């Protein structure tokens, strides 16, 4: 077999990863198979296995690609760079507006795929651990949480924030609320279901604006 360049190998792997992502948007993550990827790429079975040993190895590179593709870290840094210039409630509103824009933009994309890998983790945790083991731990939400916790802790120490609950309680509430909002919006918009009279309310911007108002109340910024 003639030797091929690293550029050629990376190009083929990128094609396979892109095909996997396309399939995950069309189907659910748990139902995508190696045969689906073979059909989508037009490569032979041997051609696929030359680059990846199994479907989970492909998923691992796919999630790494998605994490690099859509990062909100620079936006978080930009918002917090004005933390001393505007009221705390304005920072909260900007953060949740940014999250709403991200969720609306990626509701049928990254958000859907993330949701489905979490569902898969409930049923096959060891499999998902293997898929995600080589992906950096600090993703979008982890980075946002760390930056916001530090920001609010500093405000408390300076006597400029007087929350109604502890920082730990606040962020556990935000995390669970955000996860619930994300799940509800994805289920309502991505999957077929019976007509729900509240469908028009299950939209990222509406839900996250309500969460922002609640967070501002909890941090004493009514």
């Amino acid at each position: 077999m003639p030797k091929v360049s690293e550029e050629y190998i990376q190009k083929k792997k990128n094609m396979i990863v892109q095909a996997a992502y396309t399939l995950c948007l069309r189907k659910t993550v748990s139902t995508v198979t190696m045969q689906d990827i073979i059909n989508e790429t037009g490569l032979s079975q041997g051609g696929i296995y030359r680059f990846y040993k199994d479907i989970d190895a492909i998923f691992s590179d796919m999630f790494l690609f998605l994490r690099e593709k859509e990062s909100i870290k620079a936006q978080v840094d930009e918002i917090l760079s004005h933390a001393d210039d505007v009221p705390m409630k304005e920072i909260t509103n900007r953060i949740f507006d940014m999250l709403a824009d991200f969720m609306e933009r990626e509701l049928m994309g990254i958000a859907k795929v993330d949701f489905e890998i979490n569902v898969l983790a409930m049923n096959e945790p060891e499999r998902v651990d293997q898929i995600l083991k080589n992906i950096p731990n600090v993703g979008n939400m982890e980075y946002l949480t760390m930056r916001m916790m530090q920001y609010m802790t500093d405000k408390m120490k300076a006597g400029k924030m007087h929350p109604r609950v502890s920082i730990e309680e606040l962020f556990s509430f935000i995390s669970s609320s955000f996860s619930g909002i994300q799940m509800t919006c994805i289920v309502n918009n991505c999957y077929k279901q019976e007509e729900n009279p509240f469908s028009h309310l299950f939209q990222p911007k509406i839900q996250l604006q309500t969460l922002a108002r609640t967070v501002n109340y909890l941090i004493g910024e009514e």
Side-chain angles (χ1 to χ4, degrees):
M1 181 183 299
K3 186 176 181 180
V4 296
S5 67
E6 285 297 322
E7 182 181 1
Y8 173 86
I9 293 172
Q10 194 57 55
K11 184 177 179 180
K12 287 294 185 182
K13 292 180 78 170
N14 288 344
M15 180 182 72
I16 294 167
V17 165
Q18 290 280 1
Y21 181 53
T22 298
L23 286 162
C24 287
L25 300 183
R26 193 184 306 156
K27 305 176 67 175
T28 59
V29 171
S30 61
T31 61
V32 174
T33 66
M34 193 66 105
Q35 188 60 52
D36 290 330
I37 294 177
I38 290 169
N39 295 341
E40 185 75 15
T41 60
L43 295 173
S44 66
Q45 187 176 46
I48 291 285
Y49 284 104
R50 182 181 181 186
F51 302 102
Y52 289 103
K53 64 177 183 178
D54 55 30
I55 187 73
D56 289 348
I58 297 174
F59 282 161
S60 184
D61 271 4
M62 182 187 76
F63 279 100
L64 183 59
F65 158 75
L66 293 180
R67 179 158 289 187
E68 294 172 348
K69 172 180 180 287
E70 196 68 48
S71 174
I72 63 171
K73 295 177 184 179
Q75 291 172 276
V76 172
D77 291 342
E78 168 62 21
I79 292 170
L80 290 179
S81 71
H82 302 285
D84 294 328
D85 306 325
V86 298
M88 288 190 67
K89 65 180 180 181
E90 180 62 24
I91 295 295
T92 303
N93 292 338
R94 291 180 187 182
I95 288 290
F96 282 104
D97 281 345
M98 179 267 295
L99 287 174
D101 289 340
F102 172 77
M103 195 185 294
E104 286 184 345
R105 187 169 65 250
E106 291 294 340
L107 195 64
M108 300 291 285
I110 293 172
K112 171 186 178 292
V113 174
D114 276 345
F115 168 70
E116 289 173 354
I117 198 69
N118 287 329
V119 173
L120 184 61
M122 296 177 194
N123 300 307
E124 300 182 64
E126 292 182 359
R127 180 187 174 193
V128 173
D129 283 345
Q130 286 299 307
I131 291 172
L132 302 180
K133 69 177 181 179
N134 294 321
I135 297 176
N137 291 327
V138 183
N140 282 328
M141 296 311 298
E142 292 88 352
Y143 184 77
L144 173 58
T145 299
M146 288 190 300
R147 289 298 316 275
M148 286 298 291
M149 286 187 74
Q150 186 61 57
Y151 160 67
M152 290 187 177
T153 299
D154 290 344
K155 288 291 185 181
M156 284 180 61
K157 289 180 178 178
K160 296 180 180 179
M161 183 176 116
H162 305 283
R164 290 177 164 86
V165 297
S166 70
I167 289 291
E168 293 76 16
E169 289 172 315
L170 175 64
F171 278 90
S172 64
F173 168 75
I174 293 172
S175 177
S176 58
S177 298
F178 181 81
S179 296
I181 288 170
Q182 186 177 51
M183 179 186 71
T184 300
C185 290
I186 290 170
V187 170
N188 187 71
N189 290 280
C190 297
Y191 308 108
K192 292 181 179 179
Q193 58 176 359
E194 294 181 5
E195 186 62 28
N196 188 316
F198 298 107
S199 291
H200 65 291
L201 298 176
F202 293 146
Q203 304 302 324
K205 195 164 288 292
I206 294 173
Q207 295 288 310
L208 289 174
Q209 284 176 346
T210 300
L211 181 57
R213 289 196 294 270
T214 304
V215 170
N216 279 330
Y217 171 79
L218 292 175
I219 65 174
E221 291 280 320
E222 299 177 71

